[in-house]
Structures are given as C-alpha cells and as structure tokens.
Amino acid sequence: MNWKSAGAFDDILFHQAEGIARIAINRPEVRNAFRPQTVRELMDAFHQAHMDSSVGAIILTGAGDQAFCSGGDQKVRGDDGGYHDEQGVPYLNVLDLQRQIRGLPKPVVAMVAGYAIGGGHVLHLICDLTIAADNARFGQTGPRVGSFDAGFGAGLLARTVGIKKAKEIWFLCRQYDAEEALAMGLINAVVPLAELENETVKWCKEMLQLSPTALRVLKASFNADTDGLAGIQELAGNATALYYMTPEGQEGRNAWLEKRAPDFGKFPRRP
Ligand code: 2NE
C-alpha cells in the first residue's frame, strides 16, 4: 500500500490509501499506552476518516510490532479521577473514543501485533473486526493495577466471548495468545506477523466492494441493543437519512417551504 500522510500529530500516525484510513498509536516506548493527548488525536483522526467520503474502512493499530496498545498511561494517571493532560486536568477521555468508534458508520478493524492489554484490549474489542498477528497477546489488567472498565470493557466482552469467559478474563487478569483469542471468538483471524498488514488490507478491500449503506446499517444494528437508546438512535438515524432521500419525505419538507398542505396521499401504504 502506498500510504500517504493524512495529518501531522504527535502521538499517532494517520495515513490513507485506496479508500482505507490507517490510524496508529505511535508511542512504542510505552507499548503504545495512551495519554489524554493520544486519545484527543485519535478522536481527531477518526472524525476526519468519518467525514471523508473517500474512506470506506478504517484500520486502528499500534506502531511497531510489540504492542497494539497497553491501555492508559499509568505514569500520567492521577489520584483525582483520570489521566492527566498537559494542564493537569484528570479525564477518562478514552470512553469518548470508545463511543465514537461504535457510532462511526464505517467498519473499523483492529490490526493487532503484540500486546492488546488493559484499556488497549478494550479498544480492539470496540472495533468491528480484529485481525491479529501470531505474536499478539490479549488480556485485562485492571484488578491488578487498580482499575476497571465496567462499561463496554465488561459488558461488550461478555457479549463477545460469553459471560463465564469474560469474568475469567477480568477476574484472573491472565494473558491469552492469538490462537486462544481466536478460539474464544474474541478476534476474527490470526496470521503470521509479516502478513498482518496485507491480510488486514485484504479484509478492508473486500468490504470496500460491498454496499456502504448496508454495512452502515448493519453496524448500527449490531450495536443497537447493547447501546440502549443511544444504539437505537444510531440505527434510527439511518432510517431518517434514508427517508430524507425519498419523494415522500421530501414532500413534507417541500410543502412546508411552499406554505401548502402536504399531499401524502400519492404515496403507497406498503404492506
Ligand atoms: C504491556 C505489557 C504486558 C508489556 O510488557 P513488556 O515486558 O513487553 O514491556 P515492559 O518492560 O513492561 O514495558 C516497556 C515500557 O513500556 C512502559 C513500561 O513502563 C516500560 O517502560 P520503562 O519502565 O522501561 O521506562 N509501559 C508499558 N505499559 C505502560 C502503560 N500502560 N503505561 C505507562 N507505561 C507503560 C506490560 O508493559 C504491561 O502490563 N503494561 C501495563 C498494562 C496496564 O496495566 N495498563 C493499564 C490498564 S488500566 C486501563 O488501561 C484503563 C482502564 O482500566 C479504564 C479506563 C481507562 C484505561
């Protein structure tokens, strides 16, 4: 792939090519742990990829082959309720990023080499698909390091691997290799490290051949029950957008703009 830079950031790399956006956490010296700035930059890049109509699939990964992401940067974790930004403000902005990825109406694929641990494990879980290298290792550490993600980190994990396995993952803080993760339905494929990007791009290109609206509505539908009313809102927003594209929907707007009664009688009441 001839990746081209799509923006300059400090903590992440952002590239695009052939309809695919590639976003990489670039803090390999801390196994791609995220600090508030990292998350802010990720949210900027995801927003750009969201709004860019030439982008049909997004890869989230980590720089290097040692780690996808090792979660929150414990060196900037304060005593006052979050990870400190440059101004010392404590915040758990990774939760905003999780919701952003779920609400983003394009497939997001986690490309995992090395560790996906702690909050980094939750990030791969949030992604729609996960392709892992054979050196990947997965796990939660919260109860060991004095943390937990009782939102998607617990609930979505249980829906993904089953409640017993999810409790095991959180209660014992073990690590699982890529084959174990595949066997429990936590990831979609395992490939040799050297093949990781080729395989991930191949999956993205397959999706790029498919109907973007179908993928968009399916993503919202997979999230709808888990995300409650916010999930139904995502799904319903697609219905509204499609309705706006119909002559029936446009008749309502046109009638109001033209200060006349709408004529909905000409539209069929379909069975
Ligand atoms: C990731 C793991 C298993 C890698 O082990 P290894 O042996 O390959 O590397 P090492 O030597 O542990 O780490 C290399 C460097 O990266 C730093 C280390 O401190 C070390 O730097 P030096 O000390 O040599 O200077 N590093 C690694 N992970 C870091 C982190 N998360 N924050 C800051 N520095 C980090 C192993 O490193 C590991 O277990 N890391 C910790 C994983 C972890 O517990 N993450 C936080 C979970 S809580 C969370 O993410 C969270 C949440 O629960 C709720 C909301 C938001 C976030």
Side-chain angles (χ1 to χ4, degrees):
M1 290 286 278
N2 188 16
W3 295 111
K4 296 217 165 39
S5 173
F9 295 91
D10 292 327
D11 284 10
I12 70 165
L13 302 169
F14 183 31
H15 292 92
Q16 290 186 18
E18 301 178 40
I20 303 170
R22 185 186 190 282
I23 301 172
I25 302 173
N26 188 26
R27 306 187 73 217
E29 68 282 2
V30 286
R31 299 292 186 264
N32 294 321
F34 53 77
R35 56 181 174 174
Q37 179 179 350
T38 321
V39 174
R40 276 202 310 273
E41 293 181 4
L42 287 168
M43 293 185 73
D44 277 358
F46 271 108
H47 181 67
Q48 283 184 49
H50 181 170
M51 299 308 288
D52 186 337
S53 61
S54 73
V55 170
I58 302 165
I59 296 171
L60 176 63
T61 192
D65 57 16
Q66 298 290 300
F68 170 77
C69 176
S70 62
D73 186 330
Q74 298 306 295
K75 291 159 192 160
V76 300
R77 182 176 142 189
D79 296 337
D80 47 0
Y83 294 85
H84 283 196
D85 67 11
E86 313 78 63
Q87 279 76 46
V89 177
Y91 193 30
L92 280 168
N93 60 349
V94 74
L95 305 183
D96 300 337
L97 173 65
Q98 293 175 0
R99 289 195 302 276
Q100 181 187 23
I101 293 172
R102 280 180 77 76
L104 205 157
K106 299 175 183 180
V108 180
V109 184
M111 181 167 83
V112 177
Y115 291 103
I117 294 285
H121 184 257
V122 178
L123 281 183
H124 105 81
L125 176 72
I126 292 283
C127 293
D128 300 301
L129 301 169
T130 298
I131 313 295
D134 50 11
N135 75 337
R137 293 188 71 78
F138 300 87
Q140 299 296 157
T141 63
R144 184 177 297 132
V145 299
S147 183
F148 51 83
D149 181 336
F152 289 119
L156 184 61
L157 187 64
R159 289 176 188 220
T160 305
V161 300
I163 189 87
K164 294 278 185 188
K165 201 71 192 175
K167 285 179 180 173
E168 173 191 315
I169 291 169
W170 273 103
F171 290 2
L172 281 76
C173 295
R174 289 180 181 164
Q175 288 181 8
Y176 302 85
D177 67 24
E179 289 297 341
E180 290 172 306
L182 185 66
M184 69 174 97
L186 184 59
I187 64 175
N188 298 90
V190 183
V191 294
L193 178 59
E195 291 300 312
L196 180 61
E197 184 160 298
N198 280 347
E199 186 67 17
T200 309
V201 165
K202 191 173 137 213
W203 284 53
C204 289
K205 286 186 171 174
E206 274 187 57
M207 291 188 285
L208 290 177
Q209 300 308 308
L210 303 175
S211 158
T213 303
L215 296 185
R216 170 188 186 110
V217 177
L218 282 166
K219 175 165 177 172
S221 73
F222 281 121
N223 292 346
D225 63 340
T226 313
D227 293 3
L229 269 183
I232 292 169
Q233 182 207 38
E234 289 287 344
L235 188 58
N238 287 297
T240 307
L242 291 169
Y243 179 57
Y244 276 12
M245 296 178 206
T246 66
E248 183 180 338
Q250 291 157 17
E251 168 62 11
R253 176 203 57 197
N254 293 344
W256 191 83
L257 289 173
E258 294 161 13
K259 301 187 188 310
R260 60 174 173 80
D263 176 11
F264 288 117
K266 59 190 173 190
F267 300 108
R269 289 184 169 78
R270 294 187 184 84

